[in-house]
Amino acid sequence: MPADHDPISRRRFLEGSAQIGAASLLAATPAVAAAAADQKLGFFVIGDWGRHGAHHQTAVGRAMAAAAAESDPRFIVSAGDNFYESGVTSIHDPQWRSSFEDVYSEAALQRPWHVILGNHDYRGDVEAQIDYSKLSHRWHLPARYYTRTKTLPDRSDAEIFYLDTSPFIRKYLGTSTRIEGQNPHAQREWLDTALGRSTARWKIVIGHHPIYTTLGGAGHDQPDLIAAIEPLLRRHRVKLYINGHDHTMQYVEMGGIAYVTTGAGSETYTPGPASRTGFVSGAHGFLACAATKDAIGLDFIDSTGRSLFRNTITAA
C-alpha cells in the first residue's frame, strides 16, 4: 500500500486540529461510537469504486461496513465513477451485482446511497443509473444534479448539493465521455439560485471532479470548475467541497474552503510530492464525516480500518 506523502504538512494539520474526539465517527468502543453518532449527522463518502470487487474494492467495502456497524452513518455518498470502465449498459447490466450489490452486501451498508455521476459513467447509459433508483431500496440518483437537506440532532440543517461536473469539462466534448446535450450554464444557474435561497447551517457541495487539490497543477486541479463553481462557493460561504476523480485521498484549504478528494474506492496510484500544505495519500479507502451545528469532523479511513488523517471544519 502506498505510503502517505508530505508528512510535515500532515503533522501540521494534525497538531492544529488537536483531537477530533467525539467528532470522529470511529470512536474507541461501539458504545462510545453509538453515543457520539446520536449527537451528529454522520455520513460516508466513497468515490471511484466499481471494479467487480478488484483493486481493493472489496477490502474498502469491508472496512466501510465495519465502520458503519459501529458509528451508524445516516447515509453513504458515491462521488461518481460508479462503474469502470464505461458505466452500465442498462438497468439489467450484470455490473449492478458484480460491482455494487455483491460488494457492498453487508447489513451495515444497507442504507441510502446518494449517488452522483462521474466521467466514466458518461461512457455508458446515464439514464439507466437514474432509473435504477426505482428498483433499489438504497440507490438514490433522482436526477443528474439535485439537493437534499438533512436535519441535525439539534434541529439545525445541513443541505448537500449534488453536482454533475462532467458537462463542465470542455476536454470531454467529442470524446467517449458523452456530455453533448447537457447544459452546464443551466446547472450553474441552478446551483447559484439553490445556494442563495438555502437557510441551512451547513452548505456542502459534492461533485465528481476536483476544484483544488493538495497536489495542484495540471491533471489534479480543474480549471473549468475553478472558473464555473469556485466563485459560487465563495459567494455563498460554502465551507466544504467533496469530490472523487483523482484516485487518492487529499485535503487542502483554499480561501477558507476545505477541498476534500476521496477517489480511493478501488484503484489508486502513488502520488508525488504535494505542492500545497495539506494531506495526500495513495492508500485505498473512504471518507467518514460527522456534522454538528458548529463543526464537521472529517476522517480518512483506509482499507484496513485505520484512520490516516483527521481534521475539523468549524462553522465560524
Side-chain angles (χ1 to χ4, degrees):
M1 182 175 294
D4 295 347
H5 286 66
D6 199 12
I8 295 175
S9 297
R10 180 170 183 256
R11 186 169 66 250
R12 287 174 183 161
F13 267 107
L14 291 172
E15 291 171 350
S17 62
Q19 297 293 325
I20 200 170
S24 172
L25 283 172
L26 298 183
T29 68
V32 174
D38 288 342
Q39 305 303 314
K40 297 169 176 62
L41 171 67
F43 61 97
F44 293 172
V45 189
I46 183 171
D48 304 78
W49 43 266
R51 295 183 183 274
H52 311 284
H55 295 281
H56 294 78
Q57 183 193 357
T58 296
V60 173
R62 288 172 179 163
M64 193 162 64
E70 288 193 352
S71 62
D72 194 26
R74 198 176 302 180
F75 57 94
I76 297 166
V77 176
S78 171
D81 276 3
N82 308 314
F83 301 97
Y84 286 97
E85 290 288 327
S86 300
V88 294
T89 59
S90 73
I91 59 173
H92 304 295
D93 192 309
Q95 291 181 96
W96 288 109
R97 296 222 60 86
S98 64
S99 286
F100 179 59
E101 303 289 1
D102 290 346
V103 176
Y104 308 110
S105 58
E106 288 89 343
L109 301 180
Q110 305 305 308
R111 60 187 74 234
W113 285 57
H114 297 172
V115 181
I116 61 174
L117 299 164
N119 52 293
H120 281 269
D121 301 308
Y122 262 94
R123 297 180 183 183
D125 188 341
V126 168
E127 291 301 321
Q129 292 204 36
I130 294 172
D131 291 343
Y132 195 71
S133 303
K134 302 172 185 176
L135 303 180
S136 172
H137 69 280
R138 55 177 173 162
W139 184 271
H140 294 267
L141 178 57
R144 294 175 192 241
Y145 51 91
Y146 59 102
T147 181
R148 289 289 181 269
T149 300
K150 300 295 181 180
T151 301
L152 280 63
D154 66 4
R155 311 310 298 172
S156 61
D157 290 331
E159 187 166 5
I160 304 178
F161 302 81
Y162 296 94
L163 302 187
D164 179 19
T165 55
S166 293
F168 289 94
I169 313 302
R170 290 172 291 179
K171 70 179 182 180
Y172 292 147
L173 288 169
T175 72
S176 59
T177 303
R178 297 186 295 273
I179 61 169
E180 286 77 9
Q182 301 307 306
N183 187 342
H185 303 292
Q187 185 178 171
R188 187 182 186 277
E189 292 178 2
W190 167 85
L191 180 62
D192 192 13
T193 299
L195 286 170
R197 69 180 176 224
S198 176
T199 60
R201 174 71 168 177
W202 290 104
K203 301 175 186 179
I204 302 168
V205 179
I206 302 179
H208 177 65
H209 293 82
I211 296 179
Y212 290 111
T213 63
T214 317
L215 294 172
H220 300 288
D221 291 357
Q222 182 48 251
D224 291 331
L225 294 185
I226 291 172
I229 302 300
E230 185 213 16
L232 302 185
L233 305 185
R234 288 189 279 105
R235 179 186 307 162
H236 298 292
R237 299 183 178 181
V238 173
K239 301 297 291 288
L240 176 60
Y241 178 85
I242 303 174
N243 61 271
H245 189 65
D246 198 312
H247 293 189
T248 55
M249 294 183 278
Q250 299 185 53
Y251 179 97
V252 68
E253 293 181 11
M254 301 284 289
I257 300 171
Y259 293 95
V260 182
T261 295
T262 177
S266 59
E267 185 180 66
T268 64
Y269 66 93
T270 301
S275 65
R276 299 182 174 113
T277 299
F279 166 78
V280 59
S281 173
H284 305 86
F286 65 98
L287 175 70
C289 306
T292 68
K293 179 181 180 182
D294 298 318
I296 299 178
L298 303 172
D299 196 350
F300 280 121
I301 310 300
D302 74 7
S303 59
T304 70
R306 182 170 59 107
S307 175
L308 300 182
F309 173 80
R310 294 173 176 176
N311 201 40
T312 303
I313 301 168
T314 59

